């Protein structure tokens, strides 16, 4: 997303000056794609250990960090120390020590870190923010957020590094950072006390064996018998998958298509969290990663009413027998359940419910990707009344809920987020974003 934005879509406003990755093959793939696809000059490449040299030689204004989650803090800290601003993919990082290193580095250097919470820009999400800001539900008191990942998208987290908690923080950090950020964004506050339960109940060898299912391959590509497996993922079927992953295995050791019913999965697939916020809001949240359909239901109840948002993102549909045999899986384009569509309803405390019109949008992540890229890349953007651009404090606040939830799962006890990291110490003079309404 960012390579194309910097080298093609917004090339009049940006100049892509270098790549850094652990895989030379992956960087070569992108250089070739930029050159052949849209005549962009090849940019210099640097292996991970040469990051500081890249900064010295290419002199960027901004570093975009989109590497494996557990490595984000390293690049953020080095970038700001070397005088660059940072645009970082979510999650900002995966544990409280690394989050503290980031916050300390930003405090020390005064550089700017933006965390790319693209969901904030999805029109339905902004609509909910608008309803809360307008005061129509009064003071928000309670939030219910149910999120389901289907057996296509959800399963993908169990095929690669995300399935190892020390690399991704687990889904309560890697994935739920988006969801917790939305709650923070909607209610204008940060979590304080967190209690959680979580388990691996569907993926993994033991769960499959308990259901009488046995999949004897470690990975899917070229595995005999995998063609009939609805979870199979064939890296040969798309040129991009081949170029970025299969051809880069030799120099990175990164296997992209591991069996979701294999060993050594250290993350949960079934999670429930309750949290109390600084402003008193109570959150009830659930996430499953193996649902037949994907989407969300979000409800915010306040002193004067309630808003409900329902989104159906689609199921995991295998299109036909030929696709099945090729291991091709498809996420449905639209609702294949009659009558199911996205909707938002405002319920005044006393009065008739009103269906709210969700603005149309197109593009990745419900239209959020285009809007966030415009705000990041185009000059002279108008002031955003919704304060959607998230900073390092917002990035920390959303992962701290997940990190606290992980701790609660380990200990069986509620966790006070301030015992992990006290954000108050870092809320300096540049109060903005969600904090403006906290
Ligand atoms: N905002 C969103 O909706 C969204 C969507 C997808 C991914 N993401 C985030 O983007 C990031 C990348 O995700 P992805 O799906 O492209 O993953 P990916 O595994 O395809 O890419 C990760 C890249 O990081 C590289 N890498 C691994 N270790 C490294 C190291 N030590 N130093 C430098 N590079 C290293 C890998 O070689 C690979 O090129 C993740 O943090 C993910 O959470 C965000």
């Amino acid at each position: 997303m960012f390579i194309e934005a910097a080298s093609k879509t917004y090339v009049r406003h940006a100049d892509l000056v270098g790549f850094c990755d652990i895989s030379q093959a992956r960087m070569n793939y992108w250089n070739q794609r930029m050159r052949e696809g849209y005549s962009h000059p090849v940019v210099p490449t640097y292996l991970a250990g040469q990051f500081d040299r890249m900064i010295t030689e290419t002199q960027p204004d901004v570093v975009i960090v989109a590497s494996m989650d557990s490595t984000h803090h390293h690049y953020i800290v080095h970038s700001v120390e070397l005088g660059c601003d940072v645009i970082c993919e979510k999650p900002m990082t995966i544990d409280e020590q690394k989050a503290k290193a980031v916050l300390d580095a930003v405090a020390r250097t005064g550089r700017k870190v933006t965390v790319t919470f693209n969901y904030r820009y999805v029109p339905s999400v902004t609509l909910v923010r608008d309803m809360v800001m307008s005061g129509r539900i009064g003071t928000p008191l309670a939030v219910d957020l149910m999120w389901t990942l289907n057996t296509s998208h959800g399963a993908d987290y169990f095929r690669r590094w995300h399935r190892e908690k020390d690399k991704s923080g687990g889904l309560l950090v890697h994935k739920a950072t988006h969801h917790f950020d939305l709650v923070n964004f909607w209610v204008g506050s940060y979590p304080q006390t967190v209690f959680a339960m979580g388990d691996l109940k569907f993926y993994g060898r033991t769960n499959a064996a308990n259901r009488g299912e046995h999949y004897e391959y470690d990975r899917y590509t070229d595995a005999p018998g995998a063609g009939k497996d609805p979870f199979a993922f064939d890296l040969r079927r798309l040129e991009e998958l081949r170029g970025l992953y299969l051809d880069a295995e030799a120099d990175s050791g990164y296997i992209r298509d591991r069996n979701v019913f294999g060993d050594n999965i250290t993350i949960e697939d079934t999670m429930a969290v309750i949290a109390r916020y600084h402003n008193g809001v109570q959150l009830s949240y659930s996430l499953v990663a193996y649902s037949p359909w994907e989407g969300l239901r979000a409800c915010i109840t306040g002193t004067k009413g309630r808003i409900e948002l329902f989104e159906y993102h689609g199921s995991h549909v295998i299109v036909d027998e030929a696709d099945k045999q090729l291991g091709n899986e498809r996420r449905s384009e639209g609702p294949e359940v009659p009558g199911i569509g996205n909707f938002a309803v405002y319920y005044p405390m006393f009065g008739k419910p009103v269906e709210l019109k969700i603005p149309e949008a197109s593009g990745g992540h419900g239209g959020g990707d285009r809007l966030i890229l415009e705000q990041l890349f185009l000059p002279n953007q108008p002031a955003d009344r919704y304060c959607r651009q998230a900073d390092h404090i917002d990035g920390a606040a959303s992962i701290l809920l997940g990190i606290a939830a992980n701790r609660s799962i380990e200990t069986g006890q509620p966790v006070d987020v301030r015992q992990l990291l006290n954000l108050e110490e870092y809320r300096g003079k540049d109060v903005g974003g969600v904090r403006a309404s906290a």
Side-chain angles (χ1 to χ4, degrees):
M1 182 172 106
F2 288 108
I3 294 171
E4 282 208 349
S7 64
K8 186 176 162 196
T9 318
Y10 303 102
V11 72
R12 285 177 51 228
H13 309 286
D15 190 11
L16 182 65
V17 294
F19 287 143
C20 177
D21 201 285
I22 52 168
S23 166
Q24 187 63 48
R26 201 166 290 140
M27 294 188 282
N28 293 349
Y29 170 85
W30 264 108
N31 257 330
Q32 184 185 352
R33 186 159 152 179
M34 293 192 312
R35 185 166 44 86
E36 292 175 1
Y38 39 94
S39 307
H40 191 283
V42 163
V43 297
T45 58
Y46 299 83
L47 290 171
Q50 302 170 316
F51 179 78
D52 291 8
R53 205 180 103 205
M54 171 175 83
I55 302 298
T56 311
E57 290 181 2
T58 62
Q59 293 286 306
D61 303 306
V62 180
V63 175
I64 298 175
V65 178
S67 52
M68 189 169 68
D69 300 350
S70 57
T71 68
H72 287 180
H73 70 294
H74 172 79
Y75 293 113
I76 300 172
V77 171
H78 276 243
S79 301
V80 298
E81 295 283 8
L82 292 166
C84 302
D85 289 338
V86 173
I87 294 171
C88 181
E89 263 300 355
K90 50 55 55 176
M92 189 173 81
T93 184
I94 61 162
D95 63 35
E96 68 272 27
Q97 291 87 3
K98 295 182 179 70
K100 184 172 185 330
V102 169
L103 298 191
D104 286 341
V106 174
R108 222 168 28 242
T109 61
R111 304 308 312 188
K112 180 177 176 186
V113 173
T114 303
V115 182
T116 51
F117 285 123
N118 40 359
Y119 282 37
R120 287 184 176 203
Y121 297 76
V122 176
S124 58
V125 164
T126 311
L127 176 70
V128 174
R129 168 94 162 143
D130 186 73
M131 288 295 289
V132 177
M133 284 171 69
S134 72
R136 289 177 74 190
I137 65 161
T139 305
L141 300 176
V143 180
D144 285 303
L145 180 56
M146 177 203 77
W147 210 289
T148 60
L149 298 170
N150 65 22
T151 45
S152 171
H153 185 202
D156 216 29
Y157 298 112
F158 295 81
R159 296 193 178 104
R160 44 188 180 143
W161 51 263
H162 309 71
R163 73 195 220 161
E164 295 167 52
K165 215 170 214 182
D166 62 344
K167 298 198 167 62
S168 68
L171 293 179
L172 283 168
V173 171
H174 174 82
K175 189 69 194 168
T177 183
H178 270 311
H179 312 156
F180 297 147
D181 177 68
L182 291 189
V183 180
N184 302 352
F185 178 61
W186 284 331
V187 305
S189 186
Y190 293 141
Q192 190 171 41
T193 311
V194 178
F195 183 74
M197 290 188 190
D199 213 340
L200 183 69
K201 288 178 171 295
F202 183 77
Y203 299 108
R205 186 179 299 281
T206 308
N207 290 318
N210 288 343
R211 297 191 295 267
E213 299 168 23
H214 301 278
Y215 308 89
E216 295 308 330
Y217 25 84
D218 290 330
R219 62 180 301 178
Y220 294 112
T221 304
D222 296 335
K228 292 203 182 318
D229 182 342
F231 292 90
F233 191 83
D234 187 343
L235 294 178
R236 294 190 194 284
R237 78 189 153 98
L238 284 179
E239 192 256 327
E240 179 172 285
L241 287 175
R242 187 192 290 261
L244 279 178
Y245 299 102
L246 201 55
D247 295 348
E249 283 178 8
D251 69 8
S252 65
Y254 178 167
I255 308 293
R256 169 73 178 79
D257 61 336
R258 284 192 273 170
N259 179 0
V260 301
F261 299 114
D263 295 316
N264 304 321
I265 295 175
T266 52
I267 65 170
E268 298 82 16
D269 58 17
T270 312
M271 292 139 278
V273 179
I274 53 174
R276 183 179 298 116
Y277 274 65
H278 282 277
N279 65 357
V281 162
Q282 200 167 295
L283 165 69
S284 167
Y285 168 83
S286 70
L287 177 64
V288 293
Y290 48 87
S291 167
W293 65 276
E294 177 152 330
L296 66 107
R297 176 165 217 131
C299 313
I300 308 179
T301 312
T303 50
K304 294 185 185 164
R306 173 176 168 102
I307 181 162
E308 294 195 4
L309 173 67
F310 178 85
E311 288 195 4
Y312 180 86
H313 297 161
S315 69
H316 176 180
V317 176
I318 306 262
V319 172
D320 60 27
E321 195 55 33
D323 273 316
K324 209 169 174 179
Q325 279 171 17
L326 282 168
N328 282 355
E329 54 190 339
R330 301 266 171 91
R331 204 173 125 161
S332 67
E333 296 296 322
E336 65 281 337
V337 181
I340 288 211
N342 300 347
F343 63 85
V345 181
Y346 165 54
Y347 297 85
M349 197 61 97
F350 305 101
K352 275 174 97 171
V354 184
E355 183 163 1
L356 304 170
K357 187 166 169 37
I358 300 175
E360 298 277 326
S362 60
H365 289 102
D369 288 351
R370 185 178 58 77
L371 295 174
I372 194 173
L373 288 173
E374 281 176 5
Q375 206 180 63
L376 288 170
F377 282 90
L378 292 179
N380 308 320
Q381 287 293 292
D384 179 3
R385 64 185 292 257
Y386 300 114
C387 302
R388 283 172 294 189
Q389 195 164 103
D391 65 10
H392 56 297
I393 303 284
D394 298 324
S398 73
I399 50 171
L400 280 171
L401 210 165
I403 294 166
N406 277 336
R407 185 68 45 82
S408 179
I409 290 170
E410 280 160 31
T411 61
Q413 300 297 317
V415 175
D416 181 342
V417 173
R418 285 167 303 189
Q419 303 295 315
L420 300 175
L421 187 59
N422 189 357
L423 286 182
E424 294 297 317
E425 290 173 16
Y426 297 92
R427 287 167 63 133
K429 55 188 182 322
D430 68 334
V431 172
V434 169
R435 283 163 293 147
S437 61

